[in-house]
Amino acid sequence: MNILYTLFYYSKALLTDKVTMVVKTLTPILMMLVLGAALKNTFTAAQLEVSNVIVVADDTAYNMLDKNIDDSFLAISRAADLDEAMKNYNDGQADAVIKIDSEGSDVHDIVAYVGTNNNIKKIVIGSSVNDLKNISNIMHALADKNVDTDKLFKEYCDQKSLLSESKITATGNIPRAIDYYGVTMLVLTTMTGALIACDHFGAIFSGSVGKRIKSSNMRVYENYIGMFGSMFLVNMIQGTITLMIMRYICRINLGDNMIWNVIIVVLASAMATAIGIFTCTAFNDAKQATKVLNMVLQAFAFVSGGYVKLDFGFLKYMTPNHYVQSAMFQNIYSGYGGSFAVSIAAICIITVLCLGGAIILGGREIRYGTNI
Amino acid sequence: MVINLDKLKVSYGDKTVLNNYSLQVEKGEVVGLLGPNGAGKTTLMNSILGIKKISEGKVEIFDKDVKKHEKEIKKDVGYVPQEIALIEELNVYDNVAFFTKLSGLRGKEAADKIKELLEFAELWDRRKALPKELSGGMQRRLNIACSIANHPKLLFMDEPAVGVDPQSRNKILDMVKTINKQGTVVVYSSHYMEEIEAVCNRVIIMDEGKIIADGSCEQIKDLIIKELAVRLELSEINETVIEEIEKLDGVSKVEEEENYLNVITEKGSNCLESIVKVVFENGISIYNISCDRSNLETAFLTLTGKKLRE
């Protein structure tokens, strides 16, 4: 019962701290929006923006293109010659230049100059050029066999299948910047629960209330589990609120399985709380522990790619953030890498180890006896 | 025996704060630990309570070894820390409720106890207030109410009235007396001798982790009293009366100060009656007589060479 009373009264106390609640909930959303906007070019765009292409071609080739191109992907304009096309391109009027040279030859020589940094646009333009080359080659081959290529070409064009066979979708497995930072900031804010747990636990347990509790007949594990429960509950609520805001207000792509997202946030909240309590107990000095934890959490976030999408190789496996991020990305974009089950198991193991370690250390600290 | 400390040794790093410290406390006592800051009062309490580890020695409470019967013993022990030990985000009622429920009371029994404690601390009307909304004295009283939620048989109070106004201090001292009357042994630490004199029937003067003196207030004072100063306000003073008083047995010194005659007598000489007789025989009227006995402050200064609030 002592565990339940501790959980109830400390939760009540923590939930009245509205400022911390609001700040902790809104900070990751703000960071997500800032980082998402600032670093969006390092990510693949999710929407297929129209690629502007300047075409240098004779009438036949240009008409063929103009008739059959899907203008939701490509917007083509014509230039008289390559010099004019390149000038316009250099002026930033286009993402690429395509030159279709068929003069004096049956073979269409197709050259593309692609200058955009946008991966999707590169793919669209590249795909279009390849299709043009294929069509050109086929027509040329069929012409050699005396096939009526004009008729065939007309039929082909009528099907409007020039690009349809290699459609590109961005709604599948690749996150936008804001989606990526949505997840990493959610992980970061959940892990910030460790800091709050350390701070609160230190204030209570290392402070004067702690003295009163230590001098009472309450068992160490009762107090630790009760306090863990209350802080976990608060972290979990904050994390879940943040998750919901991201999903339903900020429209972050969190996949279709929200239940697993919530479960991951709940487990991550438990892990963060346990880490905070363990650190505070290990240092036996809340201020010192908070300082160290503050630095360590930032390092964890950085190494796990929370701020910048970098791969630190083996090092990332040393950070608890990695397992939470990994689990979330696997849930949202299945096949992100690693194993979902391993990530979930790792989160649970870290939680149990930290909480168990804290209880053991805490027991040694306040037990009667000689100095340890 | 309520407390039995045997050759207790407690250190902070290399510094030994309590060394070879032995103490016995009996039922019914209110033991005052008197000493300046750093004397070891808080360390002693924390060591007995298990908050501070002991290096050597034995601690028994209610005739039981605390190492072996920790949970059983702590059930009957209360502690009022020197700092305000309250959960700031919880209101007055919830603070008391939390500690009351931790003591094992449930339901109506717990609700009655909470009300009783808040009425005892005169805080029932402020039960919905947060601790920060209370005055310093109220916070101290709430601090005490939370500490006695388990109705302890032994209560440690570490400077419970520090920093409060005289009215609040008197209320707190009344609370301590009432708690003791209800059967709780109190160990009360302070560096205010007025508090100790007001509530304690036994005083332990501590300095640098050692017991300098142990006894009732009167016994402690007697330890240092070797002389008694008698001050007489007279209608007139002449050489004859001074010489005759000087000749009395037990009188060691006579000094004239305007209309006052200061007579220093030896402890236990009982010569006050003779002094008064000499004055009357010389036809001099006595307007006022006062005898200056030592207080605990003087005793402490004499025994340790330090002032209490150095």
Side-chain angles (χ1 to χ4, degrees):
Chain A
M1 285 300 279
N2 281 351
I3 292 174
L4 292 178
Y5 283 124
T6 307
L7 195 155
F8 174 75
Y9 283 105
Y10 278 124
S11 300
K12 198 173 177 180
L14 290 169
L15 287 169
T16 56
D17 189 2
K18 293 182 183 67
V19 175
T20 308
M21 283 281 283
V22 170
V23 168
K24 191 173 171 243
T25 306
L26 293 183
T27 303
I29 292 168
L30 190 68
M31 286 186 74
M32 171 196 74
L33 294 173
V34 170
L35 286 171
L39 301 172
K40 68 179 179 185
N41 285 339
T42 62
F43 288 80
T44 306
Q47 290 182 334
L48 289 178
E49 294 171 23
V50 175
S51 304
N52 295 308
V53 178
I54 300 173
V55 176
V56 180
D58 60 20
D59 290 344
T60 309
Y62 182 78
N63 288 338
M64 184 268 287
L65 259 178
D66 192 33
K67 266 186 178 179
N68 293 282
I69 210 81
D70 187 337
D71 56 10
S72 61
F73 293 152
L74 288 177
I76 60 169
S77 57
R78 195 173 178 189
D81 53 32
L82 188 60
D83 290 342
E84 183 191 338
M86 292 307 289
K87 183 178 176 298
N88 292 341
Y89 168 75
N90 289 330
D91 289 344
Q93 294 175 22
D95 298 306
V97 171
I98 297 175
K99 180 171 180 286
I100 306 171
D101 190 1
S102 58
E103 283 183 17
S105 169
D106 290 334
V107 179
H108 287 75
D109 185 14
I110 301 171
V111 181
Y113 304 89
V114 184
T116 180
N117 287 327
N118 186 313
N119 286 338
I120 292 273
K121 286 185 176 180
K122 279 181 183 172
I123 292 167
V124 168
I125 295 165
S127 175
S128 303
V129 169
N130 285 336
D131 277 353
L132 283 172
K133 283 181 176 174
N134 288 338
I135 293 165
S136 174
N137 290 337
I138 290 166
M139 293 301 168
H140 183 72
L142 292 173
D144 282 352
K145 299 289 180 188
N146 296 320
V147 175
D148 185 353
T149 52
D150 287 343
K151 187 184 171 194
L152 189 70
F153 183 64
K154 189 174 180 303
E155 286 172 1
Y156 186 87
C157 291
D158 286 345
Q159 291 173 12
K160 290 183 181 283
S161 57
L162 186 62
L163 290 173
S164 63
E165 288 176 5
S166 53
K167 256 186 184 170
I168 298 162
T169 170
T171 55
N173 297 330
I174 305 169
R176 294 171 299 166
I178 203 160
D179 294 332
Y180 181 82
Y181 285 115
V183 171
T184 59
M185 288 304 111
L186 178 66
V187 173
L188 182 64
T189 188
T190 310
M191 292 306 294
T192 309
L195 209 58
I196 292 168
C198 178
D199 194 35
H200 277 288
F201 187 80
I204 293 166
F205 208 64
S206 305
S208 51
V209 178
K211 276 188 181 179
R212 197 196 287 285
I213 290 169
K214 286 173 193 173
S215 68
S216 76
N217 67 333
M218 203 174 170
R219 292 192 187 280
V220 176
Y221 77 87
E222 291 177 333
N223 192 39
Y224 268 73
I225 293 174
M227 290 184 76
F228 166 80
S230 62
M231 290 167 194
F232 158 59
L233 187 71
V234 173
N235 281 336
M236 185 190 72
I237 291 170
Q238 288 171 334
T240 309
I241 290 172
T242 309
L243 183 75
M244 295 302 165
I245 292 174
M246 285 179 170
R247 173 71 179 83
Y248 296 107
I249 296 175
C250 300
R251 299 286 176 188
I252 301 299
N253 180 17
L254 291 171
D256 300 325
N257 199 337
M258 273 302 281
I259 292 173
W260 263 112
N261 283 329
V262 172
I263 291 171
I264 293 165
V265 167
V266 168
L267 292 176
S269 300
M271 178 177 72
T273 308
I275 289 172
I277 290 176
F278 175 79
T279 311
C280 185
T281 309
F283 276 84
N284 199 21
D285 178 343
K287 282 184 183 172
Q288 192 70 17
T290 306
K291 278 182 198 170
V292 171
L293 201 55
N294 211 348
M295 288 188 288
V296 169
L297 285 178
Q298 299 301 326
F300 280 171
F302 185 72
V303 172
S304 64
Y307 294 121
V308 185
K309 198 181 173 191
L310 295 172
D311 190 348
F312 284 86
F314 179 73
L315 265 183
K316 70 184 176 196
Y317 295 107
M318 307 299 284
T319 69
N321 299 44
H322 166 74
Y323 297 105
V324 186
Q325 272 172 214
S326 177
M328 288 209 77
F329 282 130
Q330 285 164 56
N331 181 42
I332 300 165
Y333 314 97
S334 55
Y336 189 80
S339 164
F340 180 75
V342 168
S343 298
I344 296 291
I347 294 168
C348 296
I349 290 168
I350 293 170
T351 306
V352 171
L353 286 179
C354 285
L355 185 61
I359 292 171
I360 292 167
L361 281 177
R364 284 159 64 92
E365 176 58 35
I366 66 173
R367 192 175 298 138
Y368 280 110
T370 53
N371 285 323
I372 296 163
Chain B
M1 197 170 293
V2 178
I3 300 175
N4 180 25
L5 306 182
D6 187 28
K7 294 175 183 172
L8 201 65
K9 183 179 176 183
V10 181
S11 306
Y12 283 100
D14 295 336
K15 191 186 176 191
T16 302
V17 180
L18 297 176
N19 196 7
N20 213 21
Y21 195 101
S22 296
L23 175 70
Q24 287 75 41
V25 176
E26 302 286 349
K27 279 184 182 172
E29 288 187 321
V30 181
V31 179
L33 299 177
L34 188 66
N37 290 328
K41 305 185 297 289
T42 301
T43 302
L44 176 64
M45 287 191 177
N46 288 345
S47 304
I48 299 171
L49 287 162
I51 297 169
K52 173 77 187 129
K53 291 184 193 74
I54 57 173
S55 308
E56 289 174 19
K58 188 170 74 173
V59 179
E60 285 182 348
I61 296 178
F62 311 126
D63 297 319
K64 287 171 187 163
D65 190 325
V66 289
K67 286 181 188 172
K68 294 175 185 167
H69 304 90
E70 182 179 347
K71 189 170 167 62
E72 189 185 340
I73 289 168
K74 283 185 169 181
K75 197 178 172 188
D76 291 322
V77 174
Y79 177 48
V80 184
Q82 190 171 339
E83 311 87 10
I84 305 286
L86 303 169
I87 302 169
E88 290 178 13
E89 295 85 1
L90 293 181
N91 65 26
V92 168
Y93 187 93
D94 282 342
N95 264 288
V96 177
F98 176 51
F99 291 106
T100 302
K101 287 176 181 173
L102 288 187
S103 75
L105 294 181
R106 305 282 182 265
K108 189 176 182 306
E109 201 182 2
D112 290 345
K113 182 69 179 176
I114 295 162
K115 190 176 183 194
E116 179 195 321
L117 288 167
L118 288 174
E119 284 176 344
F120 176 61
E122 297 180 25
L123 289 170
W124 178 251
D125 294 339
R126 302 299 309 276
R127 62 188 178 279
K128 289 180 182 170
L130 291 172
K132 66 182 177 188
E133 294 165 353
L134 303 177
S135 69
M138 286 175 174
Q139 288 182 14
R140 288 278 165 193
R141 298 208 300 272
L142 179 59
N143 205 27
I144 294 171
C146 291
S147 303
I148 57 173
N150 58 338
H151 192 63
K153 292 177 185 167
L154 172 61
L155 179 63
F156 291 89
M157 306 182 87
D158 192 359
E159 307 203 19
V162 71
V164 299
D165 58 89
Q167 195 183 359
S168 295
R169 178 176 295 184
N170 288 337
K171 276 188 183 175
I172 290 169
L173 296 179
D174 287 342
M175 286 174 81
V176 178
K177 288 174 190 169
T178 309
I179 290 166
N180 180 242
K181 278 180 189 166
Q182 290 169 349
T184 301
V185 171
V186 179
V187 178
Y188 188 106
S189 103
S190 177
H191 53 229
Y192 289 93
M193 57 99 184
E194 301 91 343
E195 290 178 23
I196 298 284
E197 281 195 287
V199 296
C200 300
N201 49 30
R202 181 179 168 193
V203 182
I204 292 169
I205 292 183
M206 288 181 69
D207 191 33
E208 296 180 353
K210 292 175 186 166
I211 296 176
I212 305 294
D214 182 356
S216 67
C217 290
E218 293 306 312
Q219 285 171 333
I220 298 274
K221 288 176 200 169
D222 283 347
L223 280 175
I224 58 135
I225 293 170
K226 293 188 175 66
E227 295 173 330
L228 177 70
V230 180
R231 187 173 166 88
L232 301 110
E233 188 181 1
L234 305 175
S235 58
E236 62 170 299
I237 297 171
N238 55 45
E239 288 297 318
T240 313
V241 74
I242 293 173
E243 284 173 9
E244 286 182 15
I245 290 173
E246 279 177 341
K247 287 176 187 171
L248 291 172
D249 285 342
V251 173
S252 53
K253 194 176 179 184
V254 180
E255 285 177 349
E256 183 186 354
E257 184 189 332
E258 296 181 359
N259 290 333
Y260 291 93
L261 203 60
N262 297 323
V263 183
I264 308 298
T265 66
E266 292 169 7
K267 182 182 170 187
S269 60
N270 297 322
C271 56
L272 183 59
E273 192 180 331
S274 307
I275 293 168
V276 171
K277 193 177 173 187
V278 168
V279 172
F280 282 143
E281 282 173 356
N282 281 275
I284 299 169
S285 302
I286 300 174
Y287 298 150
N288 192 17
I289 299 177
S290 62
C291 296
D292 181 22
R293 285 180 63 82
S294 282
N295 57 27
L296 276 179
E297 184 102 41
T298 316
F300 187 85
L301 184 63
T302 307
L303 290 166
T304 66
K306 294 176 184 172
K307 288 184 177 176
L308 268 170
R309 286 177 286 282
E310 267 184 352

